[in-house]
């Protein structure tokens, strides 16, 4: 068992004040933090959600005057419902930002932003995804999970415009695969509010899986339509739907392009982006709303896969298409097919397109994400906005020129954030909402800037973590791998050597080594306080390093990643001799859970114990769009799926392994973990299995469960190291 050295006190690990309970109770420190910002068309009002405290789960809708900083409470769920614990989880507004619609307790509510008067609309519930039309006269919403309805705001007139015409048909909602495309919607208003672009989702051919709770044998299994790799996807079509229910089908080559990755309707008409099953081709199509005929706006191709960038495609006020291209080792923003960002500036996301101004995030250092503005036509996009980039200090060092001093970009391009960190925000009508997380402080700082005005802060009430981070940011190996090394607060160089806990995510789509105090870093620090040197490394396939780096995992999602974890571990240990490489553990969740299993199976000379949560042993048990992006169709590339499965190697396990899985997980089904456990048992390989009854993919909502799970992991690691 790992003992606490005598040169420091034992950390607080249990009880109401402990980090694990605080992490779960505050929902990863998100409660009380302002979020979901919307700027009105005139830039004079900023809407956002925020609860009243760091342990209050009830989000209210607020309005902020960016000139005075005055806040108004627009919608308080406790007042509207007469008590209860339901909060506002999301909202949508009309074009001007004068009317907001949201759901509470399955019912539809609207609020007049100017007057602050909220009221319930009598509709056919339960309600999801309400969207006011651009003029603020009507609200479209999904009723009962599959009927699209429209109601008038100022008079009782509620009716269906699209009713399911099959037992597994739904209108106005995204299908399962849409989540991995970044598409969260299934209906879009026309600018005049007289028609909608609507998705029809038919899941009749999608495999039917079941989620059950063994702890409650009286409860029937919950059926789920799950498009596993190699199986049939939902049949998704788009329709132009009038208010009287008449509809016209949008036509494209659906046999060749079965994925609808994005859609919308702007002043230039409806549009959509479609992707081939192999994900190597994406087409952006314009739509004739009268006939449903489509025409090609642009096409993107890649030998591996076309990366989907959130916020694209879009169009400026002049109709110029906003997309991206991967050239010169860089993901670059394009306008009308022409790159407007220079090589070396890696596009992350398009946040806002307002008229001819584009707000987006991009990176030159993979640990940092900065805000950039581009103005079509070459004008200065931030004239009148402080060059401090809404950070409250510093200069626009390296970013004062039109292209941030990098060269090769567009004239109307400027980086507007300066402080090292992870930046995001919203821009409209000259008003910038700027959200930044930095290495020097936990949580986000939010400010609002308008031309010629001082910055206005948006207060947050999130709790401060009970632990302080003690993290070193490192760059190692010839590949310049980025790592965080977290050490116990009580550790002193030259003291007793520390066992190492490798604690990555490491896979595609998510970084953990970023220039911020990210919530999960505090869980890593908690393990460090128990007597570990915790190493977090972002390696092959992680975002921010460019297209080639991301595509290193094509065909093999574990081999290159594991190589980078080993290389970083050895390089860091060579620099810090207090790390004991004779005692190395690895833990991970989801993708990283499978990586942890691979680590002890394939590199037992490096990794001596593993904790693997919510992983999958057979990659065919994960969904089509995400898994086939990296491994292709299993019928065409069965060898890739075999090589990325832990089942054929289970008999070789020679290290202690703890498997954890929520039995109600409908993202990564527990079948993968149970199959691995069965294979290990059949091969006579000892291991431990911790099932979490009634728990879905993320076990962080219940303080008792989350604390108990971490303490169980800690005990396992201590016993076996």
């Amino acid at each position: 068992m790992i003992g606490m050295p005598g040169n420091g006190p034992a950390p607080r690990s249990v009880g109401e004040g402990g980090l694990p309970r605080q992490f779960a109770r505050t929902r990863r420190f998100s409660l009380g933090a302002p979020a979901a910002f919307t700027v009105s068309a005139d830039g004079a009002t900023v809407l956002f959600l925020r609860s009243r405290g760091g342990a209050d789960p009830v989000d209210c809708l607020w309005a902020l005057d960016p000139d005075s900083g005055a806040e108004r409470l627009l919608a308080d769920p406790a007042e509207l419902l007469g008590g209860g614990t339901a909060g506002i989880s999301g909202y949508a507004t009309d074009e001007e930002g004068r009317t907001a619609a949201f759901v509470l307790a399955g019912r539809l509510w609207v609020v007049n932003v100017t007057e602050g008067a909220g009221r319930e609309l009598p509709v056919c519930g339960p309600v999801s995804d309400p969207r006011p039309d651009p003029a603020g006269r009507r609200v479209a919403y999904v009723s009962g999970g599959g009927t699209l309805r429209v109601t008038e705001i100022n008079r009782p007139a509620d009716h269906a415009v699209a009713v399911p015409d099959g037992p597994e048909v739904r209108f106005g909602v995204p299908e399962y695969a849409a989540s991995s495309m970044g598409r969260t919607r299934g209906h879009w208003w026309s600018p005049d509010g007289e028609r909608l672009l609507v998705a029809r989702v038919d899941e009749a051919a999608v495999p039917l899986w079941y989620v059950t709770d063994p702890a409650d044998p009286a409860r029937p299994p919950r059926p789920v339509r799950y498009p596993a790799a190699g199986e049939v996807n939902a049949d998704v079509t788009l329709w132009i739907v009038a208010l009287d229910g008449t509809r016209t089908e949008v036509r494209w080559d659906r046999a060749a392009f079965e994925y609808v990755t994005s859609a919308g309707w702007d002043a230039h008409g409806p549009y959509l982006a479609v992707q081939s099953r192999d994900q190597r081709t994406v087409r952006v199509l314009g739509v004739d709303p009268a006939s449903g005929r489509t025409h090609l706006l642009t096409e993107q191709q890649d030998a591996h896969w076309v990366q989907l960038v959130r916020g694209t495609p879009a169009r400026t006020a002049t109709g110029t298409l906003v997309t991206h291209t991967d050239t010169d080792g860089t993901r670059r923003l394009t306008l009308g097919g022409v790159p407007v960002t220079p090589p070396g500036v890696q596009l992350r996301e398009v946040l806002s397109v307002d008229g001819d101004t584009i707000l987006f995030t991009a990176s030159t250092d993979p640990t940092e994400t900065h805000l950039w503005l581009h103005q079509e036509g070459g004008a200065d996009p931030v004239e009148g906005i402080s060059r401090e980039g809404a950070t409250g200090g510093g200069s626009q060092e390296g970013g004062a020129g039109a292209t941030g001093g990098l060269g090769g970009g567009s004239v109307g391009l400027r980086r507007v954030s300066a402080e090292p960190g992870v930046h995001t925000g919203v821009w409209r009508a000259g008003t910038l909402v700027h959200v930044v997380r930095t290495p020097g402080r936990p949580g986000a700082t939010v400010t609002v800037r308008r031309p010629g005005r001082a910055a206005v802060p948006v207060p947050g009430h999130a709790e401060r973590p009970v632990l302080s981070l003690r993290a070193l940011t490192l760059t190692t190996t010839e590949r310049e791998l980025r790592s965080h090394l977290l050490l116990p607060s009580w550790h002193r160089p030259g003291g007793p050597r520390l066992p190492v806990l490798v604690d990555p995510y490491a896979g595609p789509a998510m970084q953990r080594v970023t220039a911020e105090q990210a919530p999960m870093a505090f869980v890593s620090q908690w393990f460090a306080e128990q007597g570990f040197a915790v190493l977090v490394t972002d390696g092959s396939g992680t975002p921010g390093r460019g297209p080639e780096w991301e595509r290193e995992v094509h065909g093999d999602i574990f081999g290159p990643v594991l190589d980078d974890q080993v290389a970083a571990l050895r390089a860091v240990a060579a620099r810090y001799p207090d790390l004991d490489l004779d005692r190395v553990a690895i833990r991970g969740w989801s993708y990283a859970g499978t990586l942890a299993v691979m680590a002890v199976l394939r590199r037992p000379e490096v990794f001596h114990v593993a904790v693997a949560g919510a992983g999958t042993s057979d990659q065919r048990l994960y969904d089509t769009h995400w898994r086939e992006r990296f491994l292709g169709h299993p019928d065409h590339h069965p060898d890739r799926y075999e090589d990325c499965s832990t089942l054929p190697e289970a008999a070789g396990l020679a290290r202690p392994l703890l498997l954890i899985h929520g039995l109600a997980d409908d993202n990564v089904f527990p079948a993968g973990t149970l199959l691995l456990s069965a294979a290990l048992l059949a091969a006579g390989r000892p291991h431990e299995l911790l099932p979490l009854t009634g728990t879905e993919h993320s076990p962080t909502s219940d303080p008792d469960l989350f604390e108990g799970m971490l303490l169980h992991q800690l005990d396992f690691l201590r016993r076996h190291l």
Side-chain angles (χ1 to χ4, degrees):
M1 181 172 282
I2 300 171
M4 187 65 64
N7 60 348
R12 193 176 191 179
S13 61
V14 296
E16 286 300 320
L19 186 282
R21 297 187 66 83
Q22 184 193 35
F23 187 86
R25 177 174 49 80
T26 62
R27 297 181 184 173
R28 304 182 178 216
F29 308 108
S30 67
L31 298 183
F37 297 96
T38 300
V39 180
S40 62
D42 59 5
T45 304
V46 175
L47 304 181
F48 62 95
L49 298 177
R50 187 188 60 205
S51 66
R52 288 185 168 90
D56 182 359
V58 180
D59 271 341
C60 304
L61 181 62
W62 302 81
L64 175 119
D65 181 337
D67 291 331
S68 67
E71 292 183 359
R72 291 182 294 122
L73 178 59
L74 296 179
D76 181 351
E79 179 180 320
L80 295 175
L81 295 175
T85 59
I88 301 172
S89 60
Y91 68 96
T93 71
D94 61 357
E95 180 67 20
E96 295 295 320
R98 296 174 181 171
T99 299
F102 54 89
V103 176
L104 271 179
R107 293 140 59 186
L108 176 59
W109 303 76
V110 295
V111 61
N112 183 300
V113 173
T114 303
E115 300 173 359
R119 59 191 174 92
E120 182 180 1
L121 297 183
V123 297
C124 182
V127 172
S128 63
D129 198 19
R131 303 273 173 176
D133 81 294
R137 297 169 297 175
R138 308 178 178 98
V139 178
Y141 67 95
V142 178
S143 172
T147 299
L148 186 67
R149 302 182 68 90
V150 171
T151 185
E152 301 288 332
I153 291 179
N154 295 318
R155 61 187 178 92
D158 177 74
H159 67 286
V161 297
V163 179
D165 49 358
E168 298 294 337
V169 172
R170 297 176 296 154
F171 279 96
V173 298
E175 73 282 12
Y176 189 96
S179 61
S180 68
M181 307 173 199
R183 179 168 61 82
T184 60
R185 299 179 56 181
H187 60 279
W188 302 264
W189 279 104
S190 64
D192 61 6
E194 298 296 329
R195 291 173 292 181
L196 297 109
L197 177 64
V198 181
R200 176 186 181 273
V201 176
D202 185 349
E203 296 180 309
V206 177
L208 187 61
W209 289 13
Y210 296 89
V211 178
T212 188
D213 184 0
D216 187 358
R219 178 183 298 178
R222 175 168 59 91
V224 176
R225 293 288 180 179
Y226 191 83
E231 299 291 345
V232 177
N233 279 305
D235 182 21
V236 180
T237 53
L238 291 179
W239 299 78
I240 305 294
V241 179
L243 295 180
D244 63 2
T246 59
R247 63 182 195 244
T248 302
E249 184 175 4
V250 177
R251 299 189 299 276
W252 74 93
D253 186 354
R254 291 173 45 236
F257 296 91
E258 63 182 82
Y259 291 124
V260 178
T261 63
S262 182
W265 197 330
D266 58 21
H268 307 284
Y271 63 89
L272 68 152
V274 295
Q275 187 178 44
S276 57
R277 177 72 182 248
D278 64 12
Q279 304 188 42
R280 295 178 181 178
T281 305
V282 169
R283 287 180 177 175
V284 181
L285 306 174
V287 182
D288 177 359
S291 66
R293 290 193 297 268
T294 59
H295 57 278
L296 182 66
L297 298 177
T298 192
E299 181 175 284
Q300 299 166 277
Q301 293 184 334
D302 188 87
H304 299 93
W305 72 83
V306 175
Q307 185 69 27
L308 304 176
V309 174
R310 288 182 183 269
T312 66
R315 287 186 286 207
T316 67
T318 57
T320 305
L321 189 65
V322 181
T323 55
H324 76 279
T325 186
D326 291 346
T327 58
D328 304 311
T330 305
R331 180 153 298 127
R332 303 173 68 181
L333 180 73
T334 62
L335 288 182
V338 179
V340 296
T341 51
V345 176
Q346 303 289 351
L347 175 66
R348 297 286 195 133
E349 180 179 2
V350 173
L351 300 169
S352 305
V353 178
D354 176 43
D356 294 323
T357 302
I358 304 165
L359 178 71
F360 63 97
T361 53
S363 300
T364 54
D365 178 329
T367 66
E368 298 186 24
T369 301
H370 282 276
L371 281 176
W372 295 70
L373 275 167
H374 182 274
Q375 174 68 52
E376 191 177 17
D380 186 343
V382 289
E383 184 176 0
I385 296 286
S386 169
R387 292 300 187 268
E388 293 174 355
T391 61
S395 64
Q396 188 64 25
E397 195 72 32
T403 61
L406 294 171
S410 173
V411 173
L413 177 68
R414 184 179 295 277
R415 198 181 91 180
V416 295
S417 58
E419 185 177 13
V422 176
H423 301 254
T424 187
V426 177
W427 169 278
R428 196 176 188 195
T431 296
L432 174 66
V433 180
H434 186 168
V435 183
V436 56
R437 293 178 175 270
T438 73
R441 56 183 179 267
T445 300
V446 184
T447 52
V448 180
R449 286 183 180 267
R450 303 225 315 145
R453 308 277 185 171
V456 171
V458 182
H461 310 309
E463 287 189 14
R464 293 182 64 88
V466 296
L467 291 181
S468 296
L469 292 186
R470 189 186 179 194
L472 301 170
T473 301
L474 308 173
T475 301
T476 62
T477 77
E478 62 182 12
R479 283 171 55 76
E480 298 185 345
L481 297 174
R482 285 358 189 242
S483 299
H484 281 161
L485 177 63
L486 298 100
L487 299 171
S489 60
W490 42 261
H491 176 71
R492 299 294 179 267
R497 299 181 74 199
L498 298 171
V500 182
L501 176 60
V502 177
D503 189 23
Y505 179 78
M510 191 174 83
Q511 293 174 266
R512 286 202 57 198
V513 184
T514 51
E516 60 179 319
Q517 292 195 18
M520 280 305 300
F522 290 94
V523 176
S524 296
Q525 184 68 49
W526 181 83
F527 274 101
E529 296 298 336
Q530 315 309 313
F532 293 91
V534 180
L535 182 64
V536 181
T537 300
D538 287 343
S540 183
T542 51
R545 297 292 296 264
E548 286 81 4
W549 184 278
E550 293 173 352
R551 293 181 173 99
E552 288 177 349
V553 296
H554 187 256
D556 183 359
I557 56 177
F558 295 116
V561 178
L562 187 56
D563 288 344
D564 279 347
Q565 295 298 311
V566 173
L569 171 65
R570 289 172 171 168
V572 172
R575 191 179 301 181
Y576 295 93
D578 287 352
L579 275 60
D580 185 355
L581 291 192
D582 290 329
R583 293 183 295 164
V584 177
I586 183 171
R587 68 181 289 270
W589 199 265
S590 195
Y591 166 87
T594 310
L595 180 66
V597 176
M598 287 293 193
V600 289
L601 288 175
R602 295 182 176 180
R603 301 302 299 270
E605 79 284 5
V606 176
F607 300 99
H608 307 107
V609 58
V611 174
T616 185
S617 55
D618 184 344
Q619 301 308 315
R620 292 172 298 179
L621 295 174
Y622 205 57
D623 74 83
T624 52
H625 192 266
W626 186 255
R627 187 53 69 232
E628 292 176 17
R629 179 182 309 175
F630 308 105
L631 299 183
H633 196 289
D635 290 350
H636 305 151
H637 303 283
D639 54 321
R640 295 177 180 174
Y641 284 80
E642 182 77 4
D643 291 343
C644 290
S645 172
T646 58
L647 297 178
E649 302 178 50
L653 180 68
R655 295 295 190 184
L657 171 63
L658 169 62
L659 301 173
I660 308 173
H661 216 122
L663 297 182
D665 192 340
D666 59 2
N667 178 10
V668 181
F669 280 76
T673 291
L674 297 176
L675 287 171
L676 176 58
S677 178
L680 292 169
L681 283 172
R685 310 317 301 167
H687 64 286
E688 293 187 19
L689 175 63
L690 178 63
L692 307 177
T693 59
T695 302
E696 298 181 351
H697 190 58
S698 177
T700 59
S701 59
D702 183 332
D704 292 333
L705 174 70
F706 188 64
E707 180 184 53
M709 185 188 69
L710 290 191
L711 290 174
H712 187 91
Q713 293 181 44
L714 177 62
D715 176 71
F716 181 83
L717 295 172
R718 284 175 165 170
R719 281 189 281 120
H720 292 289
L721 283 181

